[in-house]
Amino acid sequence: MKPGNLLIIWDYDGAIGRVNASYPYKFDEQKIYREIENVETILGLADKYGLKMTFACVGIGAEKGVFPYHIQDQIKKIHQLGHEIASHSWRHEWFPYLEKEQIKRSLSRSKYALELCIGELDAVRGFILPFSRPKSWYSRGAFSLGDRVFGPWYPGASLGSVLKFVSQAEYQWSRVSYRPIWEKYLGRSKSRPNLSAKWPIFHGLVCVPNHIFGFDAAARDLLTRLSGEGGSLVVSAHPAALDFGREESLDNFLQFLALAEDYLDKDLIQSKTVGEYIKASE
């Protein structure tokens, strides 16, 4: 049996993303600096354990400007260390609210800014939706009240519509997160994803599943399954959340890495970026 493939994606929100994701009037600028420091911690751990990861970054952070709102040097460093840079939109917008032209410009400007920053044309092939929204995909029977808006008047409110724009912007892959109504209400569990399932392609775009957020006991159980069953495991997290005492905490991450190290040493799993995995699967 071939080794299982471990793919870790970091949703690197950046300063603008931290502002957008904060509750009104409770914003703390120190959390911006902490997120940047946490990325340095992640890079150090990736080097220690020999891991390749994917960092989805907001495009505005790759543009020229004042630190910490613009982090060109760190984005360059991530790329130079062999990790994959993906787009997390231009300024971490809520896509369900966007008009068609806003969607197109966010996709194109973020890709351009990130590629200009790292000095490599066509290197940014992946896209991660901010807030993982929309989760509605009308034609596939998925409807999420959390998207807040619905209908053809909102081109960013259906995942199928957004993915068409992503494909047109010449991305290769996008992480998707949606559940059809029959899975939600007929009791199908999402705790045992099919790690051997082939990733679907929509309008030429590879749809990357998100198997789990964080590194807690549930994620470690999936890692153990990966070591025995093979296939691929996609684990997502936020650098900022290393400071939080939940699934994405540093303590959980370190426990996850210790387990991964054992499986890596035994050649039961291998670490790849999303782009590397897709290329190897072609």
Side-chain angles (χ1 to χ4, degrees), residues 31-262:
K31 291 182 179 179
I32 293 175
Y33 292 96
R34 283 294 303 148
E35 183 185 38
I36 293 170
E37 293 167 6
N38 286 348
V39 169
E40 293 298 320
T41 297
I42 292 166
L43 292 175
L45 290 169
D47 180 65
K48 176 181 177 180
Y49 290 96
L51 299 174
K52 292 294 185 67
M53 302 178 180
T54 298
F55 290 78
C57 307
V58 291
I60 195 170
E63 297 180 358
K64 292 181 179 179
V66 179
F67 182 85
Y69 293 86
H70 301 269
I71 48 171
Q72 285 187 321
D73 288 344
Q74 189 178 58
I75 291 173
K76 290 177 184 177
K77 178 179 178 180
I78 293 170
H79 176 67
Q80 290 166 356
L81 289 174
H83 303 291
E84 180 179 12
I85 298 292
S87 167
H88 199 28
S89 78
W90 182 59
R91 59 175 182 86
H92 207 269
E93 302 95 328
W94 184 270
F95 264 59
Y97 286 170
L98 299 186
E99 298 175 357
K100 182 185 297 186
E101 286 305 312
Q102 291 175 308
I103 295 172
K104 291 181 177 180
R105 290 180 183 182
S106 178
L107 291 168
S108 61
R109 181 163 177 170
S110 61
K111 191 176 193 295
Y112 173 78
L114 290 165
E115 291 177 349
L116 184 64
C117 176
I118 63 179
E120 189 173 338
L121 184 65
D122 204 32
V124 177
R125 308 303 306 278
F127 178 72
I128 303 292
L129 277 159
F131 305 101
S132 295
R133 295 287 177 178
K135 292 188 177 182
S136 297
W137 193 338
Y138 307 147
S139 63
R140 301 200 177 187
F143 299 87
S144 175
L145 294 176
D147 291 338
R148 303 178 187 170
V149 291
F150 302 93
W153 305 276
Y154 301 97
S158 175
L159 190 54
S161 174
V162 171
L163 292 179
K164 289 180 183 179
F165 292 125
V166 176
S167 177
Q168 291 167 5
E170 299 185 350
Y171 289 89
Q172 180 188 26
W173 63 265
S174 182
R175 191 184 68 199
V176 300
S177 181
Y178 71 98
R179 295 186 73 200
I181 290 177
W182 51 87
E183 288 190 9
K184 285 185 177 181
Y185 299 109
L186 295 182
R188 179 174 173 181
S189 173
K190 60 180 180 179
S191 62
R192 276 194 67 83
N194 183 357
L195 303 183
S196 298
K198 187 175 181 179
W199 293 354
I201 297 176
F202 181 75
H203 283 269
L205 193 73
V206 179
C207 297
V208 179
N210 183 43
H211 293 128
I212 196 165
F213 258 106
F215 308 99
D216 62 358
R220 296 192 290 274
D221 287 345
L222 287 177
L223 184 60
T224 297
R225 275 186 55 200
L226 180 72
S227 70
E229 300 175 11
S232 62
L233 171 62
V234 179
V235 182
S236 300
H238 297 80
L242 291 187
D243 293 334
F244 307 156
R246 297 194 288 270
E247 294 88 350
E248 302 170 55
S249 70
L250 179 59
D251 180 63
N252 274 324
F253 186 39
L254 291 174
Q255 292 183 59
F256 185 91
L257 291 179
L259 184 61
E261 181 181 34
D262 181 51

